[in-house]
Amino acid sequence: MPPGLLVSHLHKRYGAFAALSDVSLSLREGEVLGLIGPNGAGKTTLFECVAGVLPADSGTVTVGGRDVPAEARGAHLFYMPDSIAPWPAQTVAWALDFTLGLFGGESGRRPAVIERLQIERVLLAIALLTPQPILMADEPFDGLDLRQSREVGAALRDHAAAGRTLFLSIHQIGDAVRVCDRFVLISGGRTCGEGTFDELAEVARARGATAPGFEEVVLALT
């Protein structure tokens, strides 16, 4: 399947510090792609550069085979950052209705999203109601207990099955394995691998990992 989104040779520096170095990856239409890496690996910086929130120093982002400048990416993807409180002075109903009106989302999905996620996960509910074909979510499982993580994971899989493409930054390995079709591994601002679990496990075994589960694969490759 051709990539719905292709990131090529992305670089971002802060003075002498290289936050991203030659990062390339592909996101296929209709899949759930997980971005995995240790703290400080560059996951949030990568998301912000791809979404056009943070200017990259160099590199390209293409959608459907066409280069898309940073200022135009909002038409193709919606970026849900980690740990923000949208419109804290307003009610949840106001926030969801405002999102639907602002982005032209499908109002028919509103009752199901509210029932599935409940009101305490309003930021993810907002993201799921937006109409852009690609959804990027930074740490959608952050702060959730086991039951909530499973509910959110099931909601994301259902969302992808309905035709949306998801790119998720995930800290917990168990959540990533349960939800994602493929993975991109990142460490020190560089991509260290991309593929399914089986594809990455094969690379890890070639590097000496023994009986690799996904945790061992990530440790071996990052």
Side-chain angles (χ1 to χ4, degrees), residues 6 30 32 41 43 48 59 67 79 84 108-109 124 134 136 138 143-144 155 183-184 189 209:
L6 185 65
V32 182
K43 299 187 295 295
E48 291 178 345
D67 286 357
Y79 168 51
I84 67 168
R109 295 210 312 261
L124 183 57
I134 299 170
M136 298 174 57
D138 193 359
L144 304 183
F183 309 90
V184 172

Side-chain angles (χ1 to χ4, degrees), residues 87-98:
W87 308 294
Q90 303 295 334
T91 66
V92 171
W94 182 95
L96 298 181
D97 288 340
F98 179 79

Side-chain angles (χ1 to χ4, degrees), residues 6-204:
L6 185 65
V7 177
S8 302
H9 308 295
L10 208 64
H11 292 260
K12 178 64 180 179
R13 298 186 68 89
Y14 296 98
F17 174 69
L20 299 174
S21 299
D22 199 32
V23 171
S24 297
L25 60 91
S26 62
L27 175 62
R28 301 170 184 174
E29 291 184 6
E31 77 169 347
V32 182
L33 181 67
L35 180 65
I36 311 296
N39 291 337
K43 299 187 295 295
T44 296
T45 301
L46 174 59
F47 265 36
E48 291 178 345
C49 287
V50 171
V53 176
L54 181 69
D57 297 330
S58 60
T60 60
V61 174
T62 66
V63 178
R66 296 184 178 183
D67 286 357
V68 181
E71 65 273 13
R73 291 175 199 159
H76 303 277
L77 59 88
F78 184 85
Y79 168 51
M80 187 193 90
D82 181 26
S83 300
I84 67 168
W87 308 294
Q90 303 295 334
T91 66
V92 171
W94 182 95
L96 298 181
D97 288 340
F98 179 79
T99 300
L100 288 167
L102 178 64
F103 293 104
E106 298 179 24
S107 59
R109 295 210 312 261
R110 185 181 187 275
V113 167
I114 291 174
E115 180 180 0
R116 191 66 178 270
L117 297 179
Q118 304 181 19
I119 61 171
E120 66 266 20
R121 295 187 284 278
V122 64
L123 183 59
L124 183 57
I126 287 172
L128 294 182
L129 289 174
T130 57
Q132 291 90 336
I134 299 170
L135 169 61
M136 298 174 57
D138 193 359
E139 299 289 357
F141 298 97
D142 189 37
L144 304 183
D145 62 26
L146 177 60
R147 186 179 300 278
Q148 291 170 333
S149 293
R150 289 183 177 273
E151 291 171 350
V152 167
L156 290 169
R157 287 299 323 177
D158 288 348
H159 201 57
R164 203 167 191 190
T165 303
L166 306 183
F167 189 14
L168 311 176
S169 172
I170 303 177
H171 186 71
Q172 297 295 333
I173 297 298
D175 294 326
V177 171
R178 186 169 59 253
V179 173
C180 300
D181 301 304
R182 293 191 313 122
F183 309 90
V184 172
L185 307 184
I186 185 172
S187 181
R190 296 179 179 272
T191 44
C192 306
E194 178 178 340
T196 64
F197 167 72
D198 289 339
E199 291 167 345
L200 293 172
E202 183 176 350
V203 177

